[in-house]
Amino acid sequence: MDLSGRSVVVTGGNSGIGAAIVRSLAAAGASVVIDYVAHPEDTADLVKEVTSGGGRAIGVEADVSTIAGIEKLISTAVDEFGHLDAFVNNAGIEERHTLLEVDEKTFDHVMAVNLKSAVFGTQRAAKRFIEQGSGGIVVNISSVHEDWPMPGNLSYCVSKGGMRMLTRTAGVELGPQGVRVVNVAPGAVDTPINESTMKDDSLRQKLENSIPLREVADPSEIGGVVAFVISDAAKYMTATTVFVDGGIMRGSVGL
Ligand code: BGC
């Protein structure tokens, strides 16, 4: 995969799937803006790891649930690397509750971090791509739960379902301007979001038994697919979703 010379923003880039995406993109030669809201020390370590391997990366603290935060990331990419070629809407949180339990504040928070950020991240990145006249790509990290219900995880599922239609609608609107929009939808991945499941042997076993490939993904297995989707090898892909789930959605037993 050759992404040399590409300038990419990864939201929520200092942990979990985001950090793995940063590693894959940098290894392919891209220059990366790593967005974060917490743990500056992890961001600093990741920047050091990338730069000591000969890559280019910079950490930026920005809350992507605000347009100001998104604009800060894009202007940093342009100031530091001269242009923007790809924007990865990866930031996301999970707050487990059913429909009957959810309260307004929690719902608004999940939607702001997971979906509003992706809508305006896509919008602001697309405006920049159009202004540059160079085309570009937005990758939205959704989830198998963009399509597959997960009882007890209502707001998260609603936000991921929203990303599904964001990608389809924006992809169709922006195609004529050379801007691609693609979802990468992971299944169960060994990241902080799944920490409680991974630490509980019986829950982990139950989860793994429901996955045809019989293991939870390593974050690098998502990072590699994102690098592919950004690359020219995937330049005919838009307004669609790539599922990277070990077959979990086709398994016979749910969670
Ligand atoms: C969720 C996990 C869940 C996995 C598979 C992910 O999107 O964050 O909590 O285990 O999907 O269902």
Side-chain angles (χ1 to χ4, degrees):
M1 217 64 62
D2 182 17
L3 297 179
S4 41
R6 308 281 179 97
S7 159
V8 188
V9 171
V10 180
T11 71
N14 73 341
S15 78
I17 293 174
I21 294 171
V22 169
R23 289 189 176 98
S24 294
L25 300 184
S31 303
V32 190
V33 171
I34 305 170
D35 158 67
Y36 68 97
V37 282
H39 300 297
E41 67 290 353
D42 292 350
T43 315
D45 287 349
L46 188 54
V47 168
K48 206 155 138 206
E49 182 188 321
V50 169
T51 51
S52 62
R56 292 174 87 193
I58 176 171
V60 177
E61 185 181 357
D63 175 1
V64 291
S65 67
T66 70
I67 291 177
I70 291 162
E71 287 181 340
K72 183 176 173 190
L73 295 170
I74 294 178
S75 58
T76 305
V78 173
D79 292 347
E80 293 288 324
F81 306 134
H83 46 95
L84 179 75
D85 303 300
F87 194 96
V88 183
N89 285 305
N90 165 76
I93 54 168
E94 215 175 282
E95 298 277 353
R96 302 263 175 117
H97 46 252
T98 63
L99 172 70
L100 294 180
E101 288 159 359
V102 66
D103 60 79
E104 186 178 4
K105 193 164 166 245
T106 308
F107 181 76
D108 283 349
H109 183 50
V110 174
M111 295 302 278
V113 176
N114 294 8
L115 185 57
K116 181 188 169 195
S117 65
V119 169
F120 289 102
T122 303
Q123 184 201 58
R124 291 311 206 254
K127 281 178 189 276
R128 177 73 211 174
F129 298 149
I130 292 165
E131 201 181 304
Q132 289 174 171
S134 54
I137 160 124
V138 175
V139 182
N140 291 318
I141 307 303
S142 63
S143 161
V144 285
H145 301 298
E146 69 161 55
D147 191 45
W148 193 37
M150 183 173 182
N153 208 358
L154 186 276
S155 302
Y156 182 82
C157 290
V158 172
S159 70
K160 298 299 181 179
M163 285 176 108
R164 180 180 175 87
M165 284 313 292
L166 162 66
T167 287
R168 280 154 179 68
T169 309
V172 170
E173 287 180 359
L174 298 168
Q177 278 127 305
V179 177
R180 297 191 291 123
V181 189
V182 176
N183 273 13
V184 170
V189 186
D190 189 359
T191 67
I193 230 174
N194 272 316
E195 207 178 329
S196 54
T197 309
M198 298 305 282
K199 273 191 182 147
D200 179 321
D201 278 351
S202 86
L203 275 181
R204 184 187 176 128
Q205 198 62 57
K206 201 171 160 202
L207 177 59
E208 285 173 347
N209 285 342
S210 72
I211 304 170
L213 287 183
R214 290 289 184 270
E215 59 184 7
V216 167
D218 183 82
S220 62
E221 285 154 347
I222 312 303
V225 174
V226 174
F228 160 73
V229 166
I230 290 177
S231 78
D232 286 347
K235 72 178 199 258
Y236 201 59
M237 288 178 72
T238 197
T240 194
T241 298
V242 183
F243 287 93
V244 192
D245 70 344
I248 193 173
M249 288 176 78
R250 310 287 175 246
S252 55
V253 186
L255 289 181

